[in-house]
Amino acid sequence: MFLTKKEQEMCDGEYGETIRKSMDILVALGDIYGASKLVDITSAQVSGVSYKTIGDAGLEYLEDLARDGSGKATINASLNPPGTDLDNWEELGFPRDFAIKQNQIVDAYAKLGISKTCTCTPYLVGNVPRFRDHVSWSESSAVAYVNSVIGARTNREGGPAALAAAIVGKTPLYGFHLDENRKANLVVNVSTELKGADFGALGYIIGKVVGGGIPYFKLQNTPNNNDLKTLGAALASSGSVALYHIEDVTPEFNLNSEDEIEDIMFISDKEISETRQKLSTTDKTPDLICLGCPHASLEEIKQVATIVEGKTIKNKLWICTSVSVKATADRMGYTQTIEAAGGNVVCDTCMVVAPIEEMGFEVIGVNSAKAANYVPSMCGLDVVYNDVENLIHFE
Ligand code: F3S
């Protein structure tokens, strides 16, 4: 891979150890994937935050990098969800030892200049690249959103690579950064109107079929931004989709004409409803309803507040979101309405990266196909998959 004089000096350690280590990662990646050079980025989103997934080894690595003090993020860079609500872990019942380690991890990232935004929907809270910007994002649902809905360009980066890119301000130019790799290879013709959890079911079906490919959807109705984040999260979890196009909706849908794509698939309401059923692992009543995967928008919190207003919820209810979105929900009175009904608006974390298996829950109700896919394997708990209004039970 071609390096400029300054980049070579960074590799040689002339700008400090943190930058040298970061360049090592980026150059190794570039060499593996045949990148021609490094390209400037405008934004990074860094995963590998929960103590549940990175453990003591990850914490040690980050503290070493932060202690060195020679390198910090040079561009807008934000963190993925950690394993706790950073401010309210105690009152929500998170294990103390876990929460202490978790705060140390987030503090180490902050010393490296990665903002404590702590969300998988950074595009809702100020980390919003422009169309065709090169970026380095690592949370798979966020990658699908930023590539597909915003039209910025990123590969599905690992946490260390996104951190390295944030510090150097560059990433290797290959894969989804190039026009020729952003063309669709499967047309998905959907013959039924979709709403709510149907979008997750569609993403789950197509992710399994297309793997790391690029689907091109023809839909009967226009999805909103919440539907798009649900669809992308499901595609990225059952497959490894990083980019999808929707006819007349997403900005690069006409990068290649539909006629150039050989493979066509037809999806009817039969496949959608069968998949919705298959995503539940039990028919028991959930003891925790966990919404906000990917992290909830203000509209989604408002929707829940409207459903529960003046009632008492039987099961426990968490709506996971970022601290920034919750601040607005507080001002609008949505949080108070949800809390009065017995629910919680939980910041930073989510049902997959939190240690919910240690918190006494057995069955989790979700409206996200990504969560339905991961909770059984990552937490060992059963899930019920449905729309919000069908999940919540009242006294
Ligand atoms: Fe976000 Fe957690 Fe879902 S990181 S996409 S809420 S699994």
Side-chain angles (χ1 to χ4, degrees), residues 80-81 120 139 141 233 292-295 349-353 368 370-371 374:
N80 209 38
C120 49
E139 204 292 312
S141 72
C293 172
H295 271 177
T349 192
C350 78
M351 65 297 273
V352 171
V353 296
S368 154
K370 173 173 178 175
Y374 285 173

Side-chain angles (χ1 to χ4, degrees), residues 12-51:
D12 295 341
E14 290 185 27
Y15 290 85
E17 194 51 14
T18 306
I19 290 181
R20 189 194 64 72
K21 283 184 183 160
S22 302
M23 281 299 282
D24 268 0
I25 294 173
L26 299 178
V27 170
L29 263 180
D31 286 343
I32 291 168
Y33 290 104
S36 54
K37 60 175 186 172
L38 295 175
V39 65
D40 288 345
I41 57 169
T42 60
S43 155
Q45 193 266 348
V46 181
S47 68
V49 185
S50 173
Y51 179 62

